[in-house]
């Protein structure tokens, strides 16, 4: 009944920022290999590797120019094979990023496709300009769609005299999923990696593959045109066919990154009877601190956040749970308190993540409570999305200070600063000049400082991963909300008459929860034991200290 990917905790590596071994300032595959023992010690069972393929890095690897290669910055195919083998020795599986909505414009398919007579022409979505008075005249873009990165979704190509569609950066042309040849190419790529021993894929923006029409969309603040490509039936069909024709022949799983899904549309993508994806990343809980688009921040409200998580826990059989990834600001800076209660709030978020129902995904650095960056200007930002949005806001006459505050709070570079291994000048990440600035707080927040400290954030992650791995209640128990206020999130996990109650205080003042009992674990403890759930606990009178998180024994489920 249960699957191995439900029993293991996933750790996401953003290779560029994980560990550099040759001093070029860029993380690499040998660096990942050198840290495998540490990941094993943490207790994780699966690594999700963000893209390591050749790429001109317009979007740092999410613009792929060769799906069957390894970017020389990261190493060689031999390094990759060694990584797979070394991980396997430690019983760690590896999943890779599958980016198939678009390629790089430097991919040979796209280069060939710029020639109207090429057999590759139809691999992409080309259209003539509108109201163009004659051949060779550019005209206006074919429709009014806008891209995820804030610009128009069409780019004019001089060479072929037509526009191509790109839902992300202009160096990321969208593939044409109406073309059966594209489908065959992708199947071939998937088999190539599965045959090398990869255990599955994280499927990038996978619910937007199929565009039903290229008509003008209803005008919106963002993503005009999305009604023609979000979770369309054509996409469902592609996913079912990829499952049947490729994935079913391997012992593997898929997690889809699915944008703008509701609990209803999500069920069609990952429902067990659908034969599409095994689980999905949804975004709704990540949108609870914003107005409409992520650039307009709204004060974090724990109640809204908890209600959204609860809704998804109850609606979906098996969620992919996450609080952080390479696109999102750091969770302690966003849902916790990265100043006075940095330690306690990072630990509270750890307990939340590891006690939800579903597969937990931890992002590199989260296990030591890394925070948002401390950059002071746009010159320090590398992310294409941040620069595009900054420029757009400039065009809209937003004052400079407002623009910078938008970027500071939401930039994806918040999560992409190098891993903080130690307090030294290169943070133990590099002996050279890092590709992206290292947060100055690495002198305090780093792995070396936490590794042997039994009370550290990292020690709690390690304990909680083991506890979850051993607890059927935490893995398979149902999720039942108990109480949600602006500060308190209380829920129960129940299995076969046994239950655990989780109480989380999302505030810097004390909270009376109204729950009493036997506390098995608290984030205020001075050491974290993996057998915490099996030993007698201590009496809990109902009051939580600032940012305190407690797991209570609740023997009688009802
Ligand atoms: O992200 C898609 C996505 O919708 C967003 O999370 C995106 O990062 C952006 O914030 C929208 O405002 C995936 C990848 O995770 C991301 O790194 C890539 O840039 C993107 O697809 C394109 O491949
Ligand atoms: Ca390197």
């Amino acid at each position: 009944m249960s699957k191995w990917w439900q029993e293991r905790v996933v750790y996401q590596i953003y290779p560029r920022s994980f560990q550099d071994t040759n001093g070029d300032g860029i993380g690499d595959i040998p660096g990942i290999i050198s840290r495998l023992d540490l990941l094993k010690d943490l207790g994780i069972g699966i690594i999700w590797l963000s893209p390591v393929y050749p790429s001109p890095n317009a979007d740092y690897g999410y613009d792929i120019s060769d799906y069957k290669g390894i970017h020389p910055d990261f190493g060689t195919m031999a390094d990759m094979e060694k990584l797979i083998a070394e991980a396997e020795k430690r019983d760690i599986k590896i999943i890779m990023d599958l980016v198939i909505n678009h390629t790089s414009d430097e991919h040979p398919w796209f280069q060939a496709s710029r020639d109207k007579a090429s057999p590759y022409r139809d691999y992409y979505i080309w259209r003539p300009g509108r109201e163009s008075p004659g051949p060779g005249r550019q005209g206006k873009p074919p429709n009014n769609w806008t891209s995820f990165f804030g610009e128009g979704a069409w780019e004019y190509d001089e060479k072929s005299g037509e526009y191509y569609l790109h839902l992300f950066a202009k160096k990321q042309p969208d593939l044409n999923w109406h073309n059966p040849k594209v489908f065959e190419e992708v199947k071939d790529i998937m088999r190539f990696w599965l045959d090398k021993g990869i255990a599955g894929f994280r499927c990038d923006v996978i619910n937007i593959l199929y565009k039903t029409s290229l008509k003008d969309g209803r005008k919106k603040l963002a993503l005009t045109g999305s009604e023609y490509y979000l979770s369309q039936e054509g996409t469902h069909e592609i996913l079912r066919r990829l499952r049947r024709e490729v994935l079913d022949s391997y012992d593997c799983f898929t997690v889809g990154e699915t944008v703008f899904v509701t609990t209803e549309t999500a069920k069609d993508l990952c429902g067990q009877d659908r034969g599409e994806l095994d689980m999905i990343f949804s975004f709704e809980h990540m949108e609870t601190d914003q107005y409409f688009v992520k650039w307009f921040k709204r004060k974090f409200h724990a109640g809204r956040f908890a209600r959204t998580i609860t809704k998804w826990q109850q609606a979906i059989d098996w969620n992919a749970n996450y609080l952080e990834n390479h696109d999102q600001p750091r969770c302690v800076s966003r849902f916790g308190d990265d100043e006075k209660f940095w330690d306690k709030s990072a630990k509270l978020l750890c307990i939340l993540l590891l006690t939800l129902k579903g597969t937990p995904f931890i992002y590199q650095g989260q296990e030591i409570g890394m925070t948002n960056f401390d950059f002071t200007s746009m010159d320090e930002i590398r992310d294409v999305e941040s620069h595009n949005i900054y420029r757009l806001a400039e065009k809209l006459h937003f004052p400079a200070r407002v623009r910078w505050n938008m970027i500071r709070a939401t930039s994806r570079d918040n999560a992409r600063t190098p891993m903080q291994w130690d307090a030294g000048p290169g943070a133990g990440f590099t002996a050279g000049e890092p590709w992206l600035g290292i947060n100055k707080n690495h002198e305090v927040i780093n792995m070396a400082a936490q590794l042997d400290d039994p009370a550290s954030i990292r020690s709690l992650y390690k304990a909680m991963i083991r506890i979850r791995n051993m607890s059927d209640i935490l893995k398979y128990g149902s999720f039942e909300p108990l109480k949600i206020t602006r500060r308190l999130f209380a829920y129960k996990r129940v299995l076969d008459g046994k239950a655990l109650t989780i109480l989380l205080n999302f505030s810097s003042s004390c909270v009376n929860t109204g729950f009493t009992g036997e506390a098995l674990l608290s984030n205020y403890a001075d050491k974290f034991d993996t057998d915490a759930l099996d030993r007698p606990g201590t009496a809990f009178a109902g009051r939580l200290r600032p940012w305190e998180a407690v797991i209570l024994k609740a023997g009688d489920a009802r």
Side-chain angles (χ1 to χ4, degrees), residues 346-388:
K347 288 172 177 167
L348 172 140
L349 293 167
C350 164
I351 292 177
L352 166 67
L353 180 66
L354 275 304
T355 56
L356 292 175
K357 186 177 181 198
T359 299
F361 286 73
I362 298 168
Y363 178 66
Q364 67 184 41
Q366 184 180 341
E367 80 274 34
I368 54 169
M370 278 177 63
T371 65
N372 280 354
F373 65 57
D374 52 359
F375 301 158
T376 54
S377 86
M378 282 308 285
D379 303 338
E380 292 170 285
I381 306 263
R382 300 279 166 271
D383 182 20
V384 56
E385 182 188 65
S386 300
H387 283 283
N388 284 356

Side-chain angles (χ1 to χ4, degrees), residues 94-204:
I94 297 183
I95 64 169
M96 290 177 87
D97 234 295
L98 186 69
V99 187
I100 54 175
N101 175 67
H102 45 267
T103 71
S104 164
D105 64 339
E106 295 181 32
H107 194 291
W109 298 340
F110 186 77
Q111 285 308 318
S113 146
R114 295 176 64 201
D115 176 353
K116 274 185 161 165
S118 161
Y120 288 95
R121 182 68 174 177
D122 256 1
Y123 273 44
Y124 297 86
I125 303 167
W126 292 98
R127 290 290 180 281
R130 269 200 288 200
E131 299 160 28
S132 63
R137 299 290 186 83
Q138 181 168 343
K140 289 197 194 129
N143 69 27
N144 67 351
W145 294 11
T146 54
S147 82
F148 280 71
F149 289 160
E151 2 162 64
W154 294 93
E155 183 70 11
Y156 184 71
D157 178 53
E158 290 286 345
K159 184 170 172 197
S160 58
E162 288 189 352
Y163 285 84
Y164 64 87
L165 179 74
H166 63 91
L167 289 181
F168 290 87
K170 56 171 178 269
K171 283 183 70 65
Q172 292 168 299
D174 280 47
L175 283 163
N176 174 18
W177 279 91
H178 291 256
N179 182 350
K181 284 191 207 145
V182 167
F183 186 81
E184 291 306 316
E185 298 273 13
V186 167
K187 277 167 55 179
D188 178 54
I189 290 162
M190 290 168 76
R191 288 196 186 110
F192 174 86
W193 288 107
L194 290 164
D195 288 338
K196 281 200 184 292
I198 285 301
F201 298 101
R202 176 270 188 185
C203 309
D204 192 65

